[in-house]
């Protein structure tokens, strides 16, 4: 994916990360947490132009759940509120046993996509999300068994090495789909030159998704649009619409990035087009 | 055994919720769901090792003590 893809008006896949597992309503009361709230949010972002919804599961009090049953409740709600959106489950989690990290893959039907974290990242002062290669391989093996497309989450530059290592160890179905993540801490520093380096150092034929945390969400989404990639926005990654102004909804963030794409002349992919781009329609 | 400073409250910190949520009585605020995992010693987490708020409050979180 390059600037040529932008010039060629390649369709843009918009992913909405609706809720996440780190913060919740204490950070922004508009973060959806219950299955019904997440389902309603999925319907709204689909109407706004998102073709993929990235999902985490929550307990009734907002805390993280890895339970297959809870993901099932969420998927059922999402399907009630949407027409044809692509469901992507998170398999991420700090401190969670490896067995729990597999549980989001076991809904019926399985999600079409699931995240696959490429390596460690720091949390707070004393925690690391380890994401060992052994776990990456076991999650990938189950994704292959269940026909789930992995979304490779590249939190920093070293994780691009891990993408190449994964390609050496395992057969990944084309196209490789990698989300490049920019922000504070262990993430790649959110600077335009780092974005250009990252997109030029992906495997041949890879598709990339662009994720900027917090105030970097909109500028990095815009760069993703300009350089022929895809974009992820949503309250998981950014609870604000503008400085000091909480976002009203996930849909509000999707609507803005769709307006930017429209102004720049990049068409937003339908769900059918997204499935074709991501290799889900075969 | 969870953190002794964890409470579940429906109101506080100028916020209210229908379902009681994790509240840190040290900083007098509702906490992120992921921090609640630490408060509850859920998964492989432990508040005495992993919560900088608890460690600072108990005087066990010395700065500059990281292993090298």
């Amino acid at each position: 994916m390059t600037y040529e893809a932008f010039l060629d008006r390649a369709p843009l896949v918009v992913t909405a990360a609706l809720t996440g597992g780190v913060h919740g309503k204490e950070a922004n009361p508009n973060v959806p947490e219950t299955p019904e709230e997440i389902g309603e949010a999925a319907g709204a972002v689909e109407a706004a132009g998102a073709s993929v919804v990235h999902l985490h599961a929550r307990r009734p009090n907002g805390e993280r759940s890895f339970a297959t049953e809870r993901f099932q409740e969420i998927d059922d709600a999402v399907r009630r509120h949407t027409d044809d959106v692509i469901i992507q489950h998170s398999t991420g989690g700090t401190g969670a046993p490896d067995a729990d990290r597999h549980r989001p893959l076991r809904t019926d039907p399985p999600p079409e996509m699931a995240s696959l974290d490429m390596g460690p990242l720091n949390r707070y002062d004393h925690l690391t999300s380890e994401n060992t290669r052994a776990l990456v391989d076991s999650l990938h093996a189950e994704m292959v068994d269940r026909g789930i497309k992995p979304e490779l989450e590249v939190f920093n530059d070293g994780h691009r090495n891990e993408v190449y290592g994964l390609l050496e160890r395992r057969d990944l179905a084309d196209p490789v789909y990698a989300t490049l993540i920019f922000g504070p801490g262990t993430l790649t520093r959110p600077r335009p030159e780092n974005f250009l380096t990252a997109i030029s150092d992906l495997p041949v034929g890879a598709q990339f998704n662009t994720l900027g945390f917090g105030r970097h969400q909109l500028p990095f989404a815009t760069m993703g649009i300009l350089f022929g990639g895809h974009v992820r926005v949503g309250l998981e990654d950014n609870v604000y619409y503008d400085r000091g102004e909480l976002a009203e909804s996930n849909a509000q963030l999707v609507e803005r990035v769709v307006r930017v794409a429209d102004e720049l002349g990049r068409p937003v992919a339908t769900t059918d087009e997204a499935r074709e781009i991501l290799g889900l329609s075969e | 055994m969870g953190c002794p400073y964890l409470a579940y409250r429906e109101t506080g910190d100028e916020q209210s919720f229908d379902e009681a949520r994790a509240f840190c009585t040290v900083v007098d605020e509702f906490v992120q769901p992921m921090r609640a995992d630490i408060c509850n010693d859920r998964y492989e987490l432990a508040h005495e090792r992993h919560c900088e708020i608890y460690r600072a409050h108990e005087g066990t979180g010395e700065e500059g003590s990281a292993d090298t």
Side-chain angles (χ1 to χ4, degrees), chain A residues 201-215:
Chain A
D201 188 35
L202 288 171
V204 173
Q207 297 270 345
F208 72 88
N209 188 28
T210 315
L211 194 177
F213 266 41
R215 64 193 173 113

mmCIF file with all atom_site columns, all heavy atoms in Angstrom, chain A residues 201-215:
data_model
loop_
_atom_site.group_PDB
_atom_site.id
_atom_site.type_symbol
_atom_site.label_atom_id
_atom_site.label_alt_id
_atom_site.label_comp_id
_atom_site.label_asym_id
_atom_site.label_entity_id
_atom_site.label_seq_id
_atom_site.pdbx_PDB_ins_code
_atom_site.Cartn_x
_atom_site.Cartn_y
_atom_site.Cartn_z
_atom_site.occupancy
_atom_site.B_iso_or_equiv
_atom_site.pdbx_formal_charge
_atom_site.auth_seq_id
_atom_site.auth_comp_id
_atom_site.auth_asym_id
_atom_site.auth_atom_id
_atom_site.pdbx_PDB_model_num
ATOM 1   N N   . ASP A 1 201 ? 8.376  -0.535 5.452  1.00 0.00 ? 201 ASP A N   1
ATOM 2   C CA  . ASP A 1 201 ? 9.126  -1.686 5.947  1.00 0.00 ? 201 ASP A CA  1
ATOM 3   C C   . ASP A 1 201 ? 8.192  -2.862 6.247  1.00 0.00 ? 201 ASP A C   1
ATOM 4   O O   . ASP A 1 201 ? 8.480  -3.691 7.106  1.00 0.00 ? 201 ASP A O   1
ATOM 5   C CB  . ASP A 1 201 ? 9.889  -1.285 7.222  1.00 0.00 ? 201 ASP A CB  1
ATOM 6   C CG  . ASP A 1 201 ? 10.847 -2.359 7.688  1.00 0.00 ? 201 ASP A CG  1
ATOM 7   O OD1 . ASP A 1 201 ? 11.426 -3.052 6.827  1.00 0.00 ? 201 ASP A OD1 1
ATOM 8   O OD2 . ASP A 1 201 ? 10.994 -2.527 8.915  1.00 0.00 ? 201 ASP A OD2 1
ATOM 9   N N   . LEU A 1 202 ? 7.091  -2.923 5.544  1.00 0.00 ? 202 LEU A N   1
ATOM 10  C CA  . LEU A 1 202 ? 6.159  -4.036 5.723  1.00 0.00 ? 202 LEU A CA  1
ATOM 11  C C   . LEU A 1 202 ? 6.400  -5.082 4.643  1.00 0.00 ? 202 LEU A C   1
ATOM 12  O O   . LEU A 1 202 ? 6.967  -4.781 3.580  1.00 0.00 ? 202 LEU A O   1
ATOM 13  C CB  . LEU A 1 202 ? 4.714  -3.524 5.638  1.00 0.00 ? 202 LEU A CB  1
ATOM 14  C CG  . LEU A 1 202 ? 4.238  -2.699 6.835  1.00 0.00 ? 202 LEU A CG  1
ATOM 15  C CD1 . LEU A 1 202 ? 2.881  -2.077 6.535  1.00 0.00 ? 202 LEU A CD1 1
ATOM 16  C CD2 . LEU A 1 202 ? 4.182  -3.547 8.097  1.00 0.00 ? 202 LEU A CD2 1
ATOM 17  N N   . PRO A 1 203 ? 5.990  -6.318 4.882  1.00 0.00 ? 203 PRO A N   1
ATOM 18  C CA  . PRO A 1 203 ? 6.156  -7.351 3.848  1.00 0.00 ? 203 PRO A CA  1
ATOM 19  C C   . PRO A 1 203 ? 5.462  -6.949 2.545  1.00 0.00 ? 203 PRO A C   1
ATOM 20  O O   . PRO A 1 203 ? 4.433  -6.262 2.556  1.00 0.00 ? 203 PRO A O   1
ATOM 21  C CB  . PRO A 1 203 ? 5.471  -8.573 4.479  1.00 0.00 ? 203 PRO A CB  1
ATOM 22  C CG  . PRO A 1 203 ? 5.507  -8.331 5.944  1.00 0.00 ? 203 PRO A CG  1
ATOM 23  C CD  . PRO A 1 203 ? 5.399  -6.855 6.122  1.00 0.00 ? 203 PRO A CD  1
ATOM 24  N N   . VAL A 1 204 ? 6.033  -7.381 1.455  1.00 0.00 ? 204 VAL A N   1
ATOM 25  C CA  . VAL A 1 204 ? 5.449  -7.093 0.133  1.00 0.00 ? 204 VAL A CA  1
ATOM 26  C C   . VAL A 1 204 ? 4.016  -7.623 0.098  1.00 0.00 ? 204 VAL A C   1
ATOM 27  O O   . VAL A 1 204 ? 3.736  -8.744 0.513  1.00 0.00 ? 204 VAL A O   1
ATOM 28  C CB  . VAL A 1 204 ? 6.283  -7.753 -0.980 1.00 0.00 ? 204 VAL A CB  1
ATOM 29  C CG1 . VAL A 1 204 ? 5.594  -7.603 -2.335 1.00 0.00 ? 204 VAL A CG1 1
ATOM 30  C CG2 . VAL A 1 204 ? 7.680  -7.152 -1.014 1.00 0.00 ? 204 VAL A CG2 1
ATOM 31  N N   . GLY A 1 205 ? 3.115  -6.771 -0.365 1.00 0.00 ? 205 GLY A N   1
ATOM 32  C CA  . GLY A 1 205 ? 1.723  -7.187 -0.498 1.00 0.00 ? 205 GLY A CA  1
ATOM 33  C C   . GLY A 1 205 ? 0.879  -6.992 0.748  1.00 0.00 ? 205 GLY A C   1
ATOM 34  O O   . GLY A 1 205 ? -0.326 -7.236 0.721  1.00 0.00 ? 205 GLY A O   1
ATOM 35  N N   . ALA A 1 206 ? 1.505  -6.535 1.844  1.00 0.00 ? 206 ALA A N   1
ATOM 36  C CA  . ALA A 1 206 ? 0.750  -6.350 3.085  1.00 0.00 ? 206 ALA A CA  1
ATOM 37  C C   . ALA A 1 206 ? -0.200 -5.162 2.957  1.00 0.00 ? 206 ALA A C   1
ATOM 38  O O   . ALA A 1 206 ? 0.078  -4.188 2.251  1.00 0.00 ? 206 ALA A O   1
ATOM 39  C CB  . ALA A 1 206 ? 1.699  -6.120 4.260  1.00 0.00 ? 206 ALA A CB  1
ATOM 40  N N   . GLN A 1 207 ? -1.317 -5.272 3.644  1.00 0.00 ? 207 GLN A N   1
ATOM 41  C CA  . GLN A 1 207 ? -2.220 -4.140 3.826  1.00 0.00 ? 207 GLN A CA  1
ATOM 42  C C   . GLN A 1 207 ? -1.975 -3.603 5.236  1.00 0.00 ? 207 GLN A C   1
ATOM 43  O O   . GLN A 1 207 ? -1.740 -4.391 6.155  1.00 0.00 ? 207 GLN A O   1
ATOM 44  C CB  . GLN A 1 207 ? -3.674 -4.602 3.716  1.00 0.00 ? 207 GLN A CB  1
ATOM 45  C CG  . GLN A 1 207 ? -4.057 -5.175 2.370  1.00 0.00 ? 207 GLN A CG  1
ATOM 46  C CD  . GLN A 1 207 ? -4.574 -4.107 1.424  1.00 0.00 ? 207 GLN A CD  1
ATOM 47  O OE1 . GLN A 1 207 ? -4.902 -3.000 1.840  1.00 0.00 ? 207 GLN A OE1 1
ATOM 48  N NE2 . GLN A 1 207 ? -4.640 -4.446 0.151  1.00 0.00 ? 207 GLN A NE2 1
ATOM 49  N N   . PHE A 1 208 ? -2.037 -2.278 5.396  1.00 0.00 ? 208 PHE A N   1
ATOM 50  C CA  . PHE A 1 208 ? -1.847 -1.749 6.740  1.00 0.00 ? 208 PHE A CA  1
ATOM 51  C C   . PHE A 1 208 ? -3.037 -0.916 7.199  1.00 0.00 ? 208 PHE A C   1
ATOM 52  O O   . PHE A 1 208 ? -3.723 -0.284 6.414  1.00 0.00 ? 208 PHE A O   1
ATOM 53  C CB  . PHE A 1 208 ? -0.541 -0.955 6.867  1.00 0.00 ? 208 PHE A CB  1
ATOM 54  C CG  . PHE A 1 208 ? -0.522 0.383  6.185  1.00 0.00 ? 208 PHE A CG  1
ATOM 55  C CD1 . PHE A 1 208 ? -0.965 1.517  6.842  1.00 0.00 ? 208 PHE A CD1 1
ATOM 56  C CD2 . PHE A 1 208 ? -0.035 0.509  4.893  1.00 0.00 ? 208 PHE A CD2 1
ATOM 57  C CE1 . PHE A 1 208 ? -0.942 2.758  6.227  1.00 0.00 ? 208 PHE A CE1 1
ATOM 58  C CE2 . PHE A 1 208 ? -0.018 1.743  4.261  1.00 0.00 ? 208 PHE A CE2 1
ATOM 59  C CZ  . PHE A 1 208 ? -0.470 2.873  4.930  1.00 0.00 ? 208 PHE A CZ  1
ATOM 60  N N   . ASN A 1 209 ? -3.225 -0.951 8.499  1.00 0.00 ? 209 ASN A N   1
ATOM 61  C CA  . ASN A 1 209 ? -4.249 -0.190 9.180  1.00 0.00 ? 209 ASN A CA  1
ATOM 62  C C   . ASN A 1 209 ? -3.514 0.802  10.079 1.00 0.00 ? 209 ASN A C   1
ATOM 63  O O   . ASN A 1 209 ? -2.454 0.476  10.611 1.00 0.00 ? 209 ASN A O   1
ATOM 64  C CB  . ASN A 1 209 ? -5.101 -1.177 10.004 1.00 0.00 ? 209 ASN A CB  1
ATOM 65  C CG  . ASN A 1 209 ? -6.319 -0.549 10.623 1.00 0.00 ? 209 ASN A CG  1
ATOM 66  O OD1 . ASN A 1 209 ? -6.862 0.419  10.107 1.00 0.00 ? 209 ASN A OD1 1
ATOM 67  N ND2 . ASN A 1 209 ? -6.762 -1.115 11.732 1.00 0.00 ? 209 ASN A ND2 1
ATOM 68  N N   . THR A 1 210 ? -4.055 2.001  10.269 1.00 0.00 ? 210 THR A N   1
ATOM 69  C CA  . THR A 1 210 ? -3.348 3.055  10.982 1.00 0.00 ? 210 THR A CA  1
ATOM 70  C C   . THR A 1 210 ? -4.095 3.411  12.257 1.00 0.00 ? 210 THR A C   1
ATOM 71  O O   . THR A 1 210 ? -5.279 3.748  12.207 1.00 0.00 ? 210 THR A O   1
ATOM 72  C CB  . THR A 1 210 ? -3.233 4.318  10.103 1.00 0.00 ? 210 THR A CB  1
ATOM 73  O OG1 . THR A 1 210 ? -2.836 3.924  8.795  1.00 0.00 ? 210 THR A OG1 1
ATOM 74  C CG2 . THR A 1 210 ? -2.218 5.284  10.675 1.00 0.00 ? 210 THR A CG2 1
ATOM 75  N N   . LEU A 1 211 ? -3.392 3.354  13.383 1.00 0.00 ? 211 LEU A N   1
ATOM 76  C CA  . LEU A 1 211 ? -4.010 3.590  14.683 1.00 0.00 ? 211 LEU A CA  1
ATOM 77  C C   . LEU A 1 211 ? -3.159 4.573  15.477 1.00 0.00 ? 211 LEU A C   1
ATOM 78  O O   . LEU A 1 211 ? -2.042 4.262  15.872 1.00 0.00 ? 211 LEU A O   1
ATOM 79  C CB  . LEU A 1 211 ? -4.126 2.249  15.437 1.00 0.00 ? 211 LEU A CB  1
ATOM 80  C CG  . LEU A 1 211 ? -5.000 2.116  16.684 1.00 0.00 ? 211 LEU A CG  1
ATOM 81  C CD1 . LEU A 1 211 ? -4.984 0.675  17.160 1.00 0.00 ? 211 LEU A CD1 1
ATOM 82  C CD2 . LEU A 1 211 ? -4.602 3.031  17.808 1.00 0.00 ? 211 LEU A CD2 1
ATOM 83  N N   . GLY A 1 212 ? -3.687 5.757  15.695 1.00 0.00 ? 212 GLY A N   1
ATOM 84  C CA  . GLY A 1 212 ? -3.025 6.727  16.557 1.00 0.00 ? 212 GLY A CA  1
ATOM 85  C C   . GLY A 1 212 ? -3.795 6.858  17.860 1.00 0.00 ? 212 GLY A C   1
ATOM 86  O O   . GLY A 1 212 ? -5.025 6.940  17.852 1.00 0.00 ? 212 GLY A O   1
ATOM 87  N N   . PHE A 1 213 ? -3.070 6.863  18.977 1.00 0.00 ? 213 PHE A N   1
ATOM 88  C CA  . PHE A 1 213 ? -3.729 6.981  20.282 1.00 0.00 ? 213 PHE A CA  1
ATOM 89  C C   . PHE A 1 213 ? -4.021 8.450  20.601 1.00 0.00 ? 213 PHE A C   1
ATOM 90  O O   . PHE A 1 213 ? -3.262 9.351  20.232 1.00 0.00 ? 213 PHE A O   1
ATOM 91  C CB  . PHE A 1 213 ? -2.822 6.410  21.377 1.00 0.00 ? 213 PHE A CB  1
ATOM 92  C CG  . PHE A 1 213 ? -3.089 4.973  21.701 1.00 0.00 ? 213 PHE A CG  1
ATOM 93  C CD1 . PHE A 1 213 ? -3.355 4.049  20.703 1.00 0.00 ? 213 PHE A CD1 1
ATOM 94  C CD2 . PHE A 1 213 ? -3.084 4.528  23.019 1.00 0.00 ? 213 PHE A CD2 1
ATOM 95  C CE1 . PHE A 1 213 ? -3.600 2.722  21.000 1.00 0.00 ? 213 PHE A CE1 1
ATOM 96  C CE2 . PHE A 1 213 ? -3.323 3.199  23.333 1.00 0.00 ? 213 PHE A CE2 1
ATOM 97  C CZ  . PHE A 1 213 ? -3.585 2.295  22.321 1.00 0.00 ? 213 PHE A CZ  1
ATOM 98  N N   . GLY A 1 214 ? -5.113 8.672  21.322 1.00 0.00 ? 214 GLY A N   1
ATOM 99  C CA  . GLY A 1 214 ? -5.430 9.995  21.842 1.00 0.00 ? 214 GLY A CA  1
ATOM 100 C C   . GLY A 1 214 ? -5.468 11.042 20.753 1.00 0.00 ? 214 GLY A C   1
ATOM 101 O O   . GLY A 1 214 ? -6.100 10.867 19.707 1.00 0.00 ? 214 GLY A O   1
ATOM 102 N N   . ARG A 1 215 ? -4.763 12.148 20.994 1.00 0.00 ? 215 ARG A N   1
ATOM 103 C CA  . ARG A 1 215 ? -4.817 13.269 20.050 1.00 0.00 ? 215 ARG A CA  1
ATOM 104 C C   . ARG A 1 215 ? -4.160 12.948 18.725 1.00 0.00 ? 215 ARG A C   1
ATOM 105 O O   . ARG A 1 215 ? -4.248 13.727 17.788 1.00 0.00 ? 215 ARG A O   1
ATOM 106 C CB  . ARG A 1 215 ? -4.181 14.510 20.681 1.00 0.00 ? 215 ARG A CB  1
ATOM 107 C CG  . ARG A 1 215 ? -2.699 14.364 20.982 1.00 0.00 ? 215 ARG A CG  1
ATOM 108 C CD  . ARG A 1 215 ? -2.252 15.495 21.885 1.00 0.00 ? 215 ARG A CD  1
ATOM 109 N NE  . ARG A 1 215 ? -0.886 15.305 22.343 1.00 0.00 ? 215 ARG A NE  1
ATOM 110 C CZ  . ARG A 1 215 ? 0.126  16.100 21.977 1.00 0.00 ? 215 ARG A CZ  1
ATOM 111 N NH1 . ARG A 1 215 ? -0.055 17.098 21.173 1.00 0.00 ? 215 ARG A NH1 1
ATOM 112 N NH2 . ARG A 1 215 ? 1.341  15.867 22.467 1.00 0.00 ? 215 ARG A NH2 1
#
